[in-house]
Amino acid sequence: MKKRFLRYLLYVFIIIALLVAAIAWFLDPYRPDEAAMQAMKSGNGVKVEEVEGLIIFEGGENNPPGVIFYPGGLVGPESYAPIARLLALSGHRTVIVKMPMNLAITGVDRADDVLKGYPKETFVIGGHSLGGVMAARYAAVHPEKVAGVFLLASYPDQKGNLKESGLPVLSLIGSRDGVMNRTEYEKARQFLPDHTTYLAIPGGNHAQFGSYGAQKGDQPAVISPEDQWQQTTALLRGWMKSVLDIPGK
């Protein structure tokens, strides 16, 4: 009886160990590459600070609006430092929100931590891939808290329905994105306002909105990561200017 019980415990232990290993493997994020880690360093006109799960990028001046950025699913948040740094250099305080288990679905309301820290400032919210989906959900529930929503290689689901929100929305994709489901992307237009701005970066792909290397299923980009970051931030800046030019914003 004792040997049988010990054998049973051994089987249970092995099963638990295998489950833990499987979960750890599944939740192992894409990690920021060297370019991302260089962009995480303060200097050359940008201050980078990590405070309670937020990575804050500030330039010499703060021009409205600020930017709240939700990372893609299973992507290390530092991977978006190159874009955040470029935005900060142009005067837009940019805050990358770290998510539990690197999944934005576990921290949809974490934008509140940013807004509480800067109660008198105007912010737009958005993100990459899954991060954009969850940013849309936040904005759909709290349209009064943000000035607009941007979606990078992303689209809203029904819980992130922004159709009647009155918020300006930017939908930006790479023309060679091999990860995003194009059929679902088109269907999701029903959840976006009629005045949504749809743009594409020629030659850009899914992963190069961040800086974490190649992503499974993606198509190779025909432009450099630096080019895609520059184009992304330029388009975001132009869109944000139009957001502030809207009466009442």
Side-chain angles (χ1 to χ4, degrees):
M1 179 68 71
K2 185 177 180 181
K3 288 184 177 179
R4 184 180 301 175
F5 178 71
L6 290 175
R7 189 180 300 115
Y8 171 77
L9 285 180
L10 178 61
Y11 290 155
V12 170
F13 175 80
I14 291 172
I15 291 171
I16 292 174
L18 289 172
L19 286 173
V20 169
I23 292 171
W25 177 84
F26 176 76
L27 295 180
D28 184 35
Y30 287 96
R31 302 184 187 281
D33 61 18
E34 180 60 26
M37 297 313 297
Q38 287 297 320
M40 282 287 296
K41 297 178 180 179
S42 292
N44 297 319
V46 176
K47 177 184 177 183
V48 183
E49 184 178 15
E50 296 191 50
V51 180
E52 297 181 352
L54 305 176
I55 309 175
I56 305 166
F57 293 76
E58 296 180 335
E61 56 182 325
N62 288 314
N63 300 322
V67 178
I68 300 172
F69 195 105
Y70 281 10
L74 298 179
V75 178
E78 299 86 356
S79 302
Y80 301 97
I83 283 179
R85 188 179 191 88
L86 289 171
L87 288 169
L89 277 170
S90 62
H92 298 281
R93 188 196 315 271
T94 301
V95 183
I96 302 173
V97 180
K98 294 184 178 181
M99 295 294 177
M101 297 185 291
N102 292 299
L103 292 169
I105 195 171
T106 64
V108 177
D109 292 330
R110 290 225 55 216
D112 286 338
D113 297 340
V114 182
L115 298 174
K116 288 175 184 176
Y118 305 97
K120 295 183 179 181
E121 294 192 24
T122 300
F123 281 88
V124 295
I125 188 171
H128 177 229
S129 198
L130 179 64
V133 180
M134 297 305 127
R137 286 190 184 185
Y138 180 87
V141 177
H142 307 288
E144 76 287 352
K145 291 186 177 183
V146 294
V149 180
F150 64 92
L151 305 168
L152 306 182
S154 182
Y155 48 84
D157 60 9
Q158 191 166 11
K159 290 184 179 179
N161 191 338
L162 300 169
K163 186 73 172 181
E164 306 301 331
S165 67
L167 291 171
V169 179
L170 170 65
S171 174
L172 179 59
I173 64 173
S175 68
R176 292 184 56 78
D177 192 318
V179 176
M180 188 182 69
N181 186 313
R182 294 301 180 106
T183 301
E184 294 301 317
Y185 170 77
E186 292 298 330
K187 288 182 180 179
R189 288 176 182 252
Q190 66 183 304
F191 303 130
L192 291 172
D194 294 338
H195 57 262
T196 296
T197 300
Y198 295 94
L199 298 172
I201 296 177
N205 67 2
H206 192 88
Q208 285 188 174
F209 283 111
S211 187
Y212 53 90
Q215 185 165 347
K216 184 178 179 181
D218 206 4
Q219 296 188 75
V222 296
I223 60 175
S224 68
E226 293 78 9
D227 192 355
Q228 188 159 339
W229 302 333
Q230 290 283 353
Q231 290 193 54
T232 299
T233 53
L235 293 170
L236 277 170
R237 290 196 304 268
W239 171 74
M240 287 191 288
K241 184 177 185 302
S242 72
V243 167
L244 295 179
D245 287 342
I246 296 174
K249 293 293 181 183

